[in-house]
């Protein structure tokens, strides 16, 4: 082969380039504009000014730390936190110690469970692009090893008490039914289906101490669930609660002595902690907190105490119960806020996550003897003083039919922002959810820098207020009553001295997204704009297209589109049916992989709004699911939302104040 001199090669290349048309240059993003993340499709949105990104930057750089479990070998904490684009698992060896990252995935890894007693295996749960088709893996040396089939939807249930088995549910047989499986994750070939079930609401809650059986929860609706004993040898499911009773069980765990502890609303408006006798199906309440829900609990390995969290008007309160005497002690040193993820270490220390208006989520421990509280992590807040964040106040009103409803109002500092201020009404999803006084994150920029008040309503159908209240919106014929609750709030808020009734807007996600559309239609004369996220626009198309494993569960709440009368009502109350009445500017945010509210729900309402000559911005996350989980997408969405509020709510005020 003849080798050409380098000068000739260069000359030949220049001739070839001269003879071949040069490709069109890729335009560089303008220096004064923020580059859009590659996976986002911004349809109808203006560019994001770099000045806006710079002004908001500190409010985007807060972190959170979620406690996920104890390591029984070295007594370290396992937490989930984010240092890059997604949340990953980290180990913290002592209070205040560094967070040592142990998972390194592109997708979030927010959950892990270490084998009890042995501590030799860490099982994690992860999906791809927010599609919620979770797979189970073992994590070792920064590498994931797949345990499940890689295709179906799998959800971790529990470790056996000896750390030998995991129990989980999987849709791999039909795509819709959450069958029950057990496996020794050290040997994936040990995987076996124990019981075939019908429906998508099944989960293994705990193993019996002898690992011969497990307690299984079948979730039917927010007001009804059933408990079963699962024989691991035969696969037999035996009811241990009354399958005909309208009773909800929030949790179920075995103590070391074999007694089954549960939370249940049997005989009460609220979830109480007590024991359930599998032989007689008799529930015996032990906790004496009759007014509020017990929302989480764990049992000490030696059975000496049970730690539980009480939801008192949205704030969490930790209590310790002596199961022998029924006496309780309150851990009053724990800061006021929202707690979760409760787990008692084998040596007795209580671990949990806590957040408040002035603190992002962080990991804490509580000494069961002294009730002393220790903060293990101190998450960054972008250099901002979290004590400058405002605390909310409770607002209580009577709705159109006299039903009491309430919510939390965050108002900007009146000295910095005197006079009447704009208001955003932010409606929670679920609808089986509850707005609670937690950390505001990016929304602190609205409050602290723009002087925008934010109100979080708990309309009828919200949890935390008893089973009667949570059922008040069930079915298509009661659904709009919750929308009417928003009207009652607007009347009251409009009379608040610090609120400008001429500058109000609405936002919400998931079911709160439906409420966002519906409120924008019903109260369009009072709202300046609506920013609706992963939202239901048509109940019929939503029910027909949501993933099959959850369709029947949603029919219980919203109605059954297969029934002609219910279908007609569902169509009547759907925002898409009444889209001609939507006259205020709309922003729609969608996850392209959303298994709950498919992206088609956004597509159809955006198309209809634009066909009517109205404004509709549409931001689609092609690598996201039911809400944005990746920081770069969250940031861009926030900036776009600020511009939307500037153009609709702020009446010419700058969003980069």
């Amino acid at each position: 082969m003849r080798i050409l001199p380098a000068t000739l090669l260069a000359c030949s290349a220049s001739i070839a380039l001269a003879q071949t048309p040069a490709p069109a240059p890729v335009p560089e993003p303008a220096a004064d504009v923020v580059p859009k993340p590659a996976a986002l499709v911004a349809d109808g949105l203006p560019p994001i000014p770099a000045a806006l990104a710079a002004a908001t930057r500190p409010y985007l750089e807060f972190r959170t730390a979620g406690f996920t479990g104890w390591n029984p070998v070295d007594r370290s904490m396992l937490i989930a936190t984010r240092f890059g684009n997604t949340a990953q698992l980290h180990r913290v060896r002592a209070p205040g110690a560094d967070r040592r990252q142990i998972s390194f995935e592109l997708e979030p890894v927010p959950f892990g469970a270490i084998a009890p007693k042995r501590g030799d295996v860490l099982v994690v749960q992860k999906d791809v692009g927010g599609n919620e088709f979770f797979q189970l893996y073992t994590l070792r040396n920064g590498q994931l090893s797949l345990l499940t089939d890689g295709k179906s939807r799998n959800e971790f249930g529990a470790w056996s008490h000896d750390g030998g088995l995991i129990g989980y549910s999987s849709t791999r047989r039909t795509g819709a039914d959450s069958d029950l499986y057990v496996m020794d994750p050290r040997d994936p070939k040990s995987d076996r289906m124990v019981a075939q079930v019908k429906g998508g609401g099944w989960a293994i809650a705990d193993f019996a101490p002898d690992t011969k059986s497990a307690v299984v929860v079948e979730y039917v609706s927010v007001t009804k669930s059933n408990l079963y004993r699962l024989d691991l040898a035969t696969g037999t499911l035996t009811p241990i609660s009354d399958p005909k009773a309208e009773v909800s069980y929030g949790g179920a765990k075995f103590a070391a002595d074999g007694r089954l502890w549960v939370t249940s609303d049997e005989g009460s408006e609220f979830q109480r902690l007590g024991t359930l006798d599998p032989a007689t199906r008799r529930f015996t309440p032990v906790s004496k907190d009759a007014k509020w829900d017990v929302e989480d609990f764990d049992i000490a390995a030696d059975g000496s105490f049970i730690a539980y969290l009480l939801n008192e008007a949205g704030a969490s309160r930790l209590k310790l119960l002596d199961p022998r005497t029924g006496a309780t002690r309150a851990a009053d040193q724990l800061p006021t806020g929202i707690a979760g993820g409760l787990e008692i270490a084998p040596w007795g220390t209580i671990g949990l996550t806590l957040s408040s208006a002035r603190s992002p989520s962080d990991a804490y421990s509580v000494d069961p003897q002294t009730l002393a509280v220790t903060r293990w992590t101190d998450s960054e807040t972008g250099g901002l003083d979290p004590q400058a964040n405002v605390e909310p106040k409770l607002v209580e009103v009577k709705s159109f039919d006299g039903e009491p409803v309430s919510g939390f109002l965050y108002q900007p500092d009146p000295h910095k922002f005197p006079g009447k201020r704009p208001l955003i009404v932010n409606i929670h999803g679920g609808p089986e959810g509850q707005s609670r006084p937690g950390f505001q994150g990016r929304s602190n920029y609205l409050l602290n820098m723009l002087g925008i008040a934010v109100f979080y309503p708990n309309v009828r159908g919200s949890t935390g207020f008893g089973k009667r209240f949570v059922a008040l919106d069930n079915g298509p014929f009661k659904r709009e009553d919750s929308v009417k609750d928003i009207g009652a709030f607007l009347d009251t808020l409009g009379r608040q001295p610090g609120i400008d009734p001429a500058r109000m807007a609405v936002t919400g996600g998931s079911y709160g997204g439906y409420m966002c559309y519906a409120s924008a239609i019903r109260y369009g004369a009072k709202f300046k704009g609506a920013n609706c996220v992963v939202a239901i626009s048509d109940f019929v198309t939503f029910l027909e297209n949501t993933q099959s494993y959850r369709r029947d569960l949603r029919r219980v709440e919203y109605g059954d589109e297969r029934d002609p009368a219910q279908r007609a009502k569902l169509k009547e109350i759907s925002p898409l049916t009444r889209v001609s009445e939507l006259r205020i500017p709309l922003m729609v945010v969608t996850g392209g992989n959303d298994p709950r509210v498919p992206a088609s729900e956004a597509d159809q309402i955006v198309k209809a709004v634009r066909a009517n000559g109205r404004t509709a911005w549409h931001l689609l996350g092609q690598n996201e699911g039911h809400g944005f989980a990746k920081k770069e997408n969250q940031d861009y969405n926030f900036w776009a939302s600020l511009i939307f509020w500037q153009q609709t709510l702020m009446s010419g005020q700058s969003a980069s104040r």
Side-chain angles (χ1 to χ4, degrees):
M1 181 176 70
R2 185 182 176 193
I3 301 177
L4 298 175
T7 53
L8 184 57
L9 282 171
C11 181
S12 300
S14 64
I15 294 171
L17 287 171
Q19 294 174 342
T20 304
V26 177
E28 292 290 331
D32 59 350
V33 170
V34 176
K36 178 179 65 61
L40 292 186
V41 178
D43 179 11
L45 279 67
I48 306 298
L52 176 60
T56 59
R57 181 64 63 188
Y59 285 88
L60 311 184
E61 298 308 322
F62 69 94
R63 294 189 220 282
T64 61
F67 169 74
T68 64
W70 294 103
N71 187 318
V73 176
D74 62 13
R75 298 196 172 192
S76 63
M77 259 192 188
L78 186 67
I79 67 164
T81 192
R82 178 198 56 75
F83 279 90
N85 197 35
T86 59
Q88 300 294 320
L89 294 177
H90 295 68
R91 179 172 289 123
V92 182
R93 295 192 176 276
D98 65 328
R99 290 166 276 189
R100 186 68 57 87
Q101 189 167 341
I102 61 174
S103 72
F104 302 87
E105 300 299 306
L106 295 177
E107 299 290 346
V109 184
F111 168 80
I114 301 175
K117 294 187 177 180
R118 308 183 192 188
D120 60 331
V121 178
L122 171 58
V123 173
V124 304
Q125 181 173 293
K126 182 181 78 70
D127 70 353
V128 176
N131 65 6
E132 298 186 22
F133 276 72
F134 302 109
Q135 304 301 320
L136 301 183
Y137 304 81
T138 55
L139 172 61
R140 187 184 299 272
N141 298 326
Q143 294 287 323
L144 296 184
S145 297
L146 184 65
L147 295 174
T148 44
D149 66 347
K151 300 175 183 178
S152 59
R153 185 176 194 268
N154 306 273
E155 289 192 280
F156 182 85
W159 274 101
S160 61
H161 291 213
D162 63 1
L165 291 176
I166 60 169
Y168 70 99
S169 59
S170 177
T171 63
R172 74 184 64 162
R173 180 175 59 89
T174 66
D177 302 312
S178 297
D179 297 326
L180 305 173
Y181 289 74
V182 297
M183 176 200 306
D184 180 350
R186 303 163 187 84
D187 176 16
K189 293 181 180 178
S190 67
D191 185 37
R192 66 186 180 94
M193 182 172 66
V194 183
Q196 290 186 8
V197 297
K198 174 126 181 106
W202 295 79
I204 292 177
D206 196 15
F207 288 86
D210 61 8
T211 320
K212 293 181 180 179
S213 63
V215 58
V216 170
V217 179
E218 178 197 12
Y219 178 90
V220 179
S221 72
V222 69
T223 58
K224 179 173 174 56
S225 52
N226 301 315
L227 295 182
Y228 297 84
R229 177 185 177 274
L230 172 63
D231 188 304
L232 298 181
T234 66
T236 302
L237 282 165
T238 304
I240 57 176
S241 65
D242 184 355
K244 297 180 181 179
E246 191 75 10
V247 172
S248 172
Y249 294 91
K253 293 180 182 180
F254 284 103
D257 62 5
R259 280 196 297 174
L260 180 61
W261 287 81
V262 302
T263 55
S264 174
D265 63 8
E266 182 177 345
S268 172
E269 276 289 300
F270 295 91
Q271 292 274 325
R272 296 179 291 176
L273 176 65
T275 60
L276 181 67
D277 185 338
T280 64
R281 303 181 183 176
R282 181 181 177 183
F283 170 67
T284 303
V286 177
S287 65
K288 303 297 192 295
D289 313 284
K291 188 177 179 181
W292 306 110
D293 283 328
V294 175
E295 56 187 0
D296 195 8
F297 74 97
D298 198 20
I299 306 172
D302 63 2
S304 60
F305 72 94
I306 298 174
Y308 67 94
L309 288 170
L310 200 63
N311 177 350
E312 292 187 352
S316 298
R317 192 176 188 197
L318 176 65
K319 291 192 172 184
L320 275 64
L321 169 72
D322 185 331
R324 294 162 297 183
T325 66
T328 60
R329 295 178 294 146
D332 291 331
Q333 298 178 48
L334 197 69
T336 300
I338 306 170
L342 198 67
E343 183 180 315
I344 302 173
W347 53 94
T349 303
I350 304 162
L352 49 78
T353 305
L354 184 96
S355 72
S356 69
R358 291 179 173 164
S359 172
S361 296
D362 269 313
Y364 290 76
S365 68
V366 178
D367 185 303
Q369 301 300 323
T370 66
L371 301 182
V373 174
T374 302
R375 186 170 183 167
W376 280 59
T377 61
D378 194 355
S379 292
E380 299 86 344
T381 56
L384 300 167
D385 179 8
Q387 295 305 309
N389 297 333
V390 299
E391 296 276 3
K393 67 178 182 180
L394 183 67
V395 175
E396 298 176 295
V397 305
K398 293 287 184 69
S399 193
F400 68 98
D401 57 355
E403 182 67 34
V405 289
S406 62
F408 291 99
L409 176 63
Y410 294 76
Q411 289 183 273
D413 182 350
H415 299 290
K416 184 176 181 180
F417 298 100
K420 294 182 178 295
R421 302 305 307 169
L423 172 75
I424 296 174
V425 177
N426 191 328
I427 309 171
H428 70 70
E432 309 95 329
Q434 183 184 5
S435 289
R436 303 175 67 178
F439 190 67
Q440 292 296 291
R442 291 167 175 82
S443 291
N444 279 318
Y445 184 81
L446 301 174
L447 290 153
N448 298 344
M449 301 305 294
L450 299 184
I452 299 176
V454 185
F455 178 65
Y456 295 88
N458 281 309
V459 298
R460 67 190 66 204
S462 301
T463 54
F465 304 92
K467 60 185 179 183
R468 183 197 66 85
F469 188 83
V470 81
L472 288 178
D473 67 342
N474 285 1
F477 299 97
K478 298 180 181 179
R479 183 59 47 197
E480 288 193 304
D481 287 351
S482 59
V483 183
K484 295 176 185 177
D485 290 340
I486 298 297
F489 285 123
L490 295 180
D491 291 341
T492 297
L493 293 169
R495 294 191 294 267
Q496 295 273 332
I499 301 298
D500 185 351
R503 289 189 293 166
M504 293 183 176
V506 64
T507 189
S510 189
Y511 173 75
Y514 153 73
M515 291 285 290
C516 177
Y517 288 146
S519 298
I521 290 169
R522 183 178 287 269
Y523 306 111
K526 296 186 177 184
F527 287 135
K528 293 294 186 181
N531 183 348
C532 307
V533 182
V534 295
I536 300 168
S537 62
D538 184 314
F539 281 111
V540 172
T541 57
F542 157 71
L543 289 167
E544 289 176 340
N545 294 314
T546 192
Q547 283 289 334
S548 56
Y549 64 82
R550 65 191 310 277
R551 185 171 295 125
D552 284 341
L553 298 174
R554 294 295 79 200
R555 283 169 173 157
V556 175
E557 172 67 34
Y558 296 126
D560 192 335
E561 84 286 1
R562 298 166 300 181
D563 176 89
Q566 294 191 49
R567 184 184 186 93
K569 188 63 177 178
L570 286 167
K571 274 292 184 183
E572 177 191 328
I573 66 174
S574 292
L576 189 64
T577 302
R578 301 177 57 187
V579 72
S580 63
E581 301 173 49
L582 182 59
R583 298 182 175 89
I584 60 176
L586 179 67
M587 179 173 173
V588 176
V589 181
T590 315
N593 302 320
D594 193 340
R596 307 187 194 190
V597 181
S600 54
E601 289 296 300
D603 294 338
Q604 61 193 10
I605 201 161
V606 168
K607 180 180 178 181
V609 169
R610 290 175 176 173
N612 290 335
R614 301 293 181 181
T615 298
W617 296 7
H618 187 192
L619 184 62
L620 169 68
Q622 296 174 303
N623 62 344
E624 299 282 10
H626 199 60
F628 286 7
K630 297 176 174 65
K631 184 179 185 298
E632 63 178 2
N633 296 340
Q634 293 173 340
D635 290 350
Y636 199 89
N637 176 33
F638 180 68
W639 293 323
S641 299
L642 285 182
I643 296 175
F644 181 77
W645 297 134
Q646 177 185 344
Q647 294 187 8
T648 58
L649 184 64
M650 299 294 288
S651 300
Q653 294 184 41
S654 172
S656 56
R657 179 188 177 98

